[in-house]
Amino acid sequence: MKRAFAPLLLLTLLLTSCGSQAGPEPVSATEPVTGTVFAMDTVMDFTIYGEETLLAAAESRIHALEAKLSVTEESSEIYAINHNGSGHVSADTADLLDQALALCGQTGGALDLSIYPVVRAWGFTTGDYGVPETEELAELLAHVDYTKIDFDRKQSAVTLPPDMEIDLGSVAKGYTGDQILSLLREADVTSALLNLGGNVQALGSKPDGSPWRIGVQNPLGDGYIGVLEVTDQAVITSGGYERYFVEDGETYWHIIDPATGAPTHSGLISVTIIGGSGLMCDGLSTALFVMGLEDAAQFWRETGNFEAVFVTEDGQITITEGLTDRFSLADESPFDEVAVLYQE
Ligand code: FAD
Ligand code: MG
């Protein structure tokens, strides 16, 4: 029998006050401005050590990106491409597509932007949940292949083969976080924390110079399994407990294995990626969830520009070598052991 997962929306907890080091009150450590935006079907929280006007600037940037990238909004660039089979895209969409397609290749298709018709057939993004017929899935899967997305970078033009549709949902929030951090850097902000529904992105450290402390949510229930200390990095989690439905006692979640067209059952129930780029971490959290622990470990050894926390359905936490002094088990963690992956 499948375990019933708690319907938690937020993956991470900002432990901004716990464990901060004692020290002199720094000049820049005034009260931060904080704000919440609901966009991309996600609650987004901001903590910015800077001018209040930056909140409005961030919000308008997010809404502008959503208007271009949404698969369901009829006026979006992605909607137009999906319904016309081709189209020109803005610099944002071109930039995101370019980097996302590179990640599809790098992950050997575990990340595949053309999986969208399959995702929709299961009811994700429409809310009309249900297990599709085998024949329907086979028909849809025949058109899933990111290598057939024709993207002309120079012309910013995209052409899709017949019956293919694309979705940037696996990477767009990471890209959005990167864009907001750029906007803040340009305004000379040196300390900020964004939480885009489980995608946490830190700009610099806390104003007192200590790292941000980010909780990693327990994928099996309430609370947190551990705490990560990060400076100027993204911490992005994909889990099977975020968006799912239950039918006949079975849980079906929103991350699909492009090899089968079904919700992935790789043995992993959560993957957190820590690295410099939000887009990369977002794409890899989805892709490594699909790969499973063994292939993900191999991928990490070969790629090496990120760190990861994996949780398996049999209750094992595995962290990569670079996190050994940055990850600690939370007090309430149901886990009491952490395995470490080493570069061989
Ligand atoms: P991630 O692991 O980052 O991504 C999982 C998502 O990627 C899945 O939901 C699926 O869409 C896709 N996916 C699944 N498997 C694969 C795979 N193997 N390769 C590539 N992609 C895969 N949701 C709504 O319900 N209503 C909305 O109005 C809505 N608007 C949105 C607008 C925008 C601009 C964006 C970016 C998203 C929107 N969403 C909406 C989608 C919602 O926010 C997604 O659930 C979210 O993007 C997925 O992110 P995640 O962090 O939950 O999971
Ligand atoms: Mg992702």
Side-chain angles (χ1 to χ4, degrees):
M1 207 171 106
K2 293 270 170 200
R3 190 186 292 266
F5 297 118
L8 294 167
L9 287 177
L10 291 183
L11 286 171
T12 51
L13 170 70
L14 311 183
L15 299 166
T16 49
S17 58
C18 312
S20 57
Q21 292 155 11
E25 191 67 4
V27 264
S28 60
T30 49
E31 284 300 300
V33 292
T34 59
T36 300
V37 173
F38 185 76
M40 306 183 184
D41 200 39
T42 301
V43 177
M44 304 181 174
D45 291 313
F46 303 96
T47 303
I48 302 169
Y49 288 86
E51 298 293 325
E52 179 117 32
T53 51
L54 291 168
L55 285 174
E59 181 166 2
S60 105
R61 186 83 177 97
I62 288 167
H63 288 308
L65 285 169
E66 179 171 28
K68 294 174 184 176
L69 301 173
S70 169
V71 275
T72 50
E73 187 57 56
E74 294 187 12
S75 55
S76 86
E77 295 174 10
I78 297 299
Y79 189 95
I81 292 165
N82 284 344
H83 289 78
N84 303 331
S86 63
H88 283 87
V89 293
S90 60
D92 276 326
T93 308
D95 190 22
L96 176 51
L97 254 179
D98 200 26
Q99 296 185 60
L101 283 170
L103 280 174
C104 292
Q106 202 187 353
T107 60
L111 187 75
D112 192 321
L113 306 181
S114 66
I115 196 75
Y116 179 56
V118 177
V119 170
R120 186 177 49 203
W122 287 89
F124 298 107
T125 74
T126 64
D128 189 12
Y129 302 115
V131 179
E133 296 294 332
T134 313
E135 298 75 33
E136 183 192 358
L137 271 187
E139 162 63 18
L140 294 173
L141 260 185
H143 305 287
V144 172
D145 181 356
Y146 72 93
T147 65
K148 301 213 168 90
I149 300 171
D150 180 2
F151 175 48
D152 181 340
R153 186 74 175 92
K154 262 198 178 141
Q155 305 294 327
S156 294
V158 183
T159 308
L160 304 178
D163 297 317
M164 182 182 282
E165 292 181 55
I166 57 172
D167 167 29
L168 296 166
S170 57
V171 285
K173 280 189 283 171
Y175 179 78
T176 301
D178 290 339
Q179 295 303 305
I180 301 308
L181 292 189
S182 294
L183 181 155
L184 297 179
R185 281 194 188 98
E186 277 163 25
D188 295 327
V189 173
T190 55
S191 184
L193 198 64
L194 320 178
N195 185 346
L196 278 56
N199 284 19
V200 178
Q201 293 188 235
L203 172 55
S205 56
K206 288 199 271 180
D208 67 1
S210 64
W212 296 101
R213 290 167 55 81
I214 314 296
V216 179
Q217 188 157 343
N218 174 14
L220 297 173
D222 291 340
Y224 299 86
I225 58 167
V227 180
L228 280 162
E229 295 195 342
V230 298
T231 297
D232 226 14
Q233 283 193 308
V235 177
I236 294 188
T237 302
S238 282
Y241 55 91
E242 294 169 79
R243 291 169 192 265
Y244 65 91
F245 66 93
V246 179
E247 190 173 298
D248 296 332
E250 282 285 326
T251 300
Y252 299 95
W253 50 61
H254 69 140
I255 301 178
I256 306 289
D257 184 346
T260 64
T264 182
H265 280 285
S266 64
L268 288 169
I269 50 174
S270 121
V271 175
T272 300
I273 304 289
I274 301 94
S277 147
L279 181 147
M280 176 196 76
C281 292
D282 200 356
L284 291 187
S285 69
T286 309
L288 271 57
F289 190 93
V290 171
M291 286 182 197
L293 184 55
E294 205 173 308
D295 288 356
Q298 190 56 30
F299 182 87
W300 170 73
R301 289 195 176 102
E302 287 165 4
T303 315
N305 59 344
F306 66 93
E307 304 293 339
V309 178
F310 302 101
V311 184
T312 53
E313 60 193 355
D314 58 5
Q316 174 68 54
I317 300 179
T318 303
I319 62 172
T320 52
E321 194 177 355
L323 295 179
T324 45
D325 55 0
R326 294 202 279 144
F327 178 85
S328 51
L329 285 171
D331 290 344
E332 77 264 32
S333 180
F335 300 85
D336 50 17
E337 273 182 27
V338 178
V340 180
L341 274 178
Y342 291 97
Q343 289 285 355
E344 286 159 340

